[in-house]
Amino acid sequence: MFGSSVKMAFASVTSNKLRSFLTMLGIIIGVIALVVLVSITTSATSTITDTISSISTNSITVTITDDKDKPLTLSEMDDITALDDVKAAAPSATSTANVRNGSDTETMKLTGTTASYQSINGVELASGRFIRSADVTNHSNVAVINADTARDILGCYNTSQAIGQTISLNGIPYTVIGVVKQSDTTIMSGSSYEAYVPFTSLERLSTTVREVTSFVAAPKSDSVSDKAQQEINEYLLARFSNDSDAFSVINMKVIADTLNKVTDVMALMLGGIAAISLLVGGIGIMNIMLVSVTERTKEIGIRKAIGATEGSIMLQFLIESLVICLIGAVIGLVISAIIIAAINAFTDYTFWLDARVCVIASVFSIGIGLLFGLYPARKAARKDPIEALHYAG
């Protein structure tokens, strides 16, 4: 019985292709809106989260805005590291320097720091090593450069070739000891030429860096991130006369968690708006199914007269409603995939279909078919066979 009902449903749908397509249109548009909007939101969220993760979500950034004429010193990084829930701390001073590129001079962005910076911010190297404690103690003129610098300034397309070579920063020779992976260059953007140097070396090289005005710290684990932030906050309050305006403490984990909550709400909101289109499509299906019941009144009367039960007639119309919704959902998913591929092809962004949203859209379409097909199906099943046989419409 089920198999014959499915065959009859497909026959009914294909017998009037234009009307069936127009009926499906609401479902198609609803599926496209739901899948495309939510997939784009999910993709964008994932990209932003990955970007934040590359900076390290398990880090705390501190900026000193008023040192009360008692600047934070490099040795105090050890005091902060000694706090109960803090694993490591490292200064993060930024400046610029001129670097020779053949006969031209380019601007390079420098970050002065210590050995702990690598583990705190998750800096991965393509070649060589990062700054060590001895480099900071000895004021060594060494640099960890990015891949652009290795390629353009030193002419090294193989990063390992750059190790041991010399670059000139403001006329002072610096030995390259490491090259950062291209995807993991986390120094502030704005210049394609960037490098990490020992904090003490940057103090001598730069005219603006004289003390620690910014540093990063890592908690011992994600679970104590808030405690570590509180300990750092209390240390700095005691250090700067209980003036909370003298510094700012930013917990990257809190930012990442907040971002995830915001994007989840956005995805839910967009999904809800798109789901309204599916409901509108369901109303269209109910309307066309009622028309179909009216048109096939005599057919219903004949089927009942030869022994068809109310259940079999109801099943037939329900399956027809489901077939319309499922075909509409499949068309909507295919068009959604084409739209996402077109966006990727003609823009610099990369989005992908969210499999979970595709499943949700399909299940929701089935639910729409059942919900809005139920009333017409019951109406068809409850028709009086005598009146149906005498129907002349």
Side-chain angles (χ1 to χ4, degrees), residues 35-105:
V35 173
V36 172
L37 287 177
V38 177
S39 290
I40 287 176
T41 303
T42 304
S43 302
T45 300
S46 178
T47 301
I48 293 170
T49 302
D50 288 345
T51 301
I52 292 178
S53 296
S54 69
I55 301 172
S56 179
T57 56
N58 193 24
S59 67
I60 299 168
T61 302
V62 178
T63 303
I64 311 298
T65 54
D66 182 4
D67 60 17
K68 307 294 182 182
D69 294 325
K70 296 185 295 181
L72 206 63
T73 63
L74 191 59
S75 63
E76 288 179 278
M77 293 295 99
D78 294 331
D79 296 336
I80 293 171
T81 301
L83 295 173
D84 291 342
D85 294 303
V86 177
K87 180 181 179 181
S92 178
T94 57
S95 185
T96 58
N98 293 324
V99 58
R100 297 293 297 175
N101 182 12
S103 58
D104 299 324
T105 299

Side-chain angles (χ1 to χ4, degrees), residues 180-234:
V180 180
K181 275 188 179 179
Q182 183 72 37
S183 60
D184 294 315
T185 303
T186 57
I187 304 175
M188 292 294 289
S189 59
S191 169
S192 59
Y193 305 125
E194 305 169 342
Y196 296 104
V197 298
F199 183 84
T200 51
S201 175
L202 187 63
E203 284 182 311
R204 294 189 304 174
L205 183 68
S206 171
T207 58
T208 57
V209 177
R210 287 293 174 267
E211 60 274 329
V212 177
T213 57
S214 177
F215 67 88
V216 290
K220 289 183 176 177
S221 66
D222 283 344
S223 60
V224 297
S225 180
D226 292 339
K227 291 182 180 179
Q229 179 183 355
Q230 182 63 29
E231 287 175 356
I232 292 171
N233 193 70
E234 290 174 356

Side-chain angles (χ1 to χ4, degrees), residues 118-150:
Q118 182 181 16
S119 61
I120 295 171
N121 272 14
V123 179
E124 293 188 44
L125 301 179
S127 300
R129 65 173 178 85
F130 198 71
I131 298 165
R132 293 175 180 166
S133 298
D135 298 322
V136 179
T137 303
N138 298 329
H139 301 69
S140 301
N141 288 348
V142 294
V144 179
I145 62 176
N146 67 338
D148 287 342
T149 304

Side-chain angles (χ1 to χ4, degrees), residues 75-393:
S75 63
E76 288 179 278
M77 293 295 99
D78 294 331
D79 296 336
I80 293 171
T81 301
L83 295 173
D84 291 342
D85 294 303
V86 177
K87 180 181 179 181
S92 178
T94 57
S95 185
T96 58
N98 293 324
V99 58
R100 297 293 297 175
N101 182 12
S103 58
D104 299 324
T105 299
E106 304 286 353
T107 300
M108 172 175 279
K109 182 173 287 292
L110 303 177
T111 295
T113 188
T114 58
S116 298
Y117 188 95
Q118 182 181 16
S119 61
I120 295 171
N121 272 14
V123 179
E124 293 188 44
L125 301 179
S127 300
R129 65 173 178 85
F130 198 71
I131 298 165
R132 293 175 180 166
S133 298
D135 298 322
V136 179
T137 303
N138 298 329
H139 301 69
S140 301
N141 288 348
V142 294
V144 179
I145 62 176
N146 67 338
D148 287 342
T149 304
R151 183 185 64 248
D152 298 344
I153 304 298
L154 299 176
C156 299
Y157 289 88
N158 184 339
T159 55
S160 61
Q161 296 174 345
I163 307 303
Q165 294 203 40
T166 301
I167 58 173
S168 176
L169 301 179
N170 288 348
I172 300 173
Y174 274 70
T175 302
V176 176
I177 58 172
V179 180
V180 180
K181 275 188 179 179
Q182 183 72 37
S183 60
D184 294 315
T185 303
T186 57
I187 304 175
M188 292 294 289
S189 59
S191 169
S192 59
Y193 305 125
E194 305 169 342
Y196 296 104
V197 298
F199 183 84
T200 51
S201 175
L202 187 63
E203 284 182 311
R204 294 189 304 174
L205 183 68
S206 171
T207 58
T208 57
V209 177
R210 287 293 174 267
E211 60 274 329
V212 177
T213 57
S214 177
F215 67 88
V216 290
K220 289 183 176 177
S221 66
D222 283 344
S223 60
V224 297
S225 180
D226 292 339
K227 291 182 180 179
Q229 179 183 355
Q230 182 63 29
E231 287 175 356
I232 292 171
N233 193 70
E234 290 174 356
Y235 176 89
L236 294 175
L237 281 173
R239 180 69 170 70
F240 296 117
S241 306
N242 288 315
D243 184 1
S244 59
D245 293 329
F247 59 90
S248 62
V249 181
I250 300 173
N251 192 331
M252 295 302 294
K253 184 176 183 297
V254 173
I255 293 176
D257 290 344
T258 302
L259 177 65
N260 286 332
K261 289 179 182 178
V262 170
T263 50
D264 285 346
V265 170
M266 285 183 59
L268 187 62
M269 180 185 69
L270 291 173
I273 293 172
I276 294 173
S277 300
L278 283 173
L279 289 174
V280 172
I283 294 171
I285 288 174
M286 178 185 284
N287 181 53
I288 208 66
M289 289 304 297
L290 287 171
V291 172
S292 179
V293 168
T294 302
E295 289 178 344
R296 294 156 65 185
T297 299
K298 185 162 286 190
E299 174 195 327
I300 294 169
I302 294 171
R303 290 191 63 196
K304 280 199 166 188
I306 61 176
T309 63
E310 287 189 4
S312 63
I313 292 173
M314 188 171 179
L315 180 64
Q316 177 191 341
F317 282 92
L318 268 179
I319 290 175
E320 189 172 323
S321 176
L322 284 173
V323 166
I324 291 173
C325 285
L326 284 174
I327 294 175
V330 170
I331 294 173
L333 290 174
V334 171
I335 295 176
S336 297
I338 293 172
I339 291 173
I340 294 292
I343 293 174
N344 290 337
F346 293 103
T347 68
D348 295 330
Y349 302 103
T350 302
F351 300 111
W352 54 87
L353 284 180
D354 190 320
R356 294 171 303 173
V357 179
C358 293
V359 171
I360 290 171
S362 300
V363 171
F364 199 67
S365 297
I366 293 172
I368 291 292
L370 288 172
L371 178 65
F372 289 94
L374 186 61
Y375 175 71
R378 290 184 64 186
K379 185 176 181 181
R382 292 181 177 182
K383 278 187 175 295
D384 182 86
I386 303 301
E387 291 182 4
L389 286 170
H390 285 88
Y391 181 73

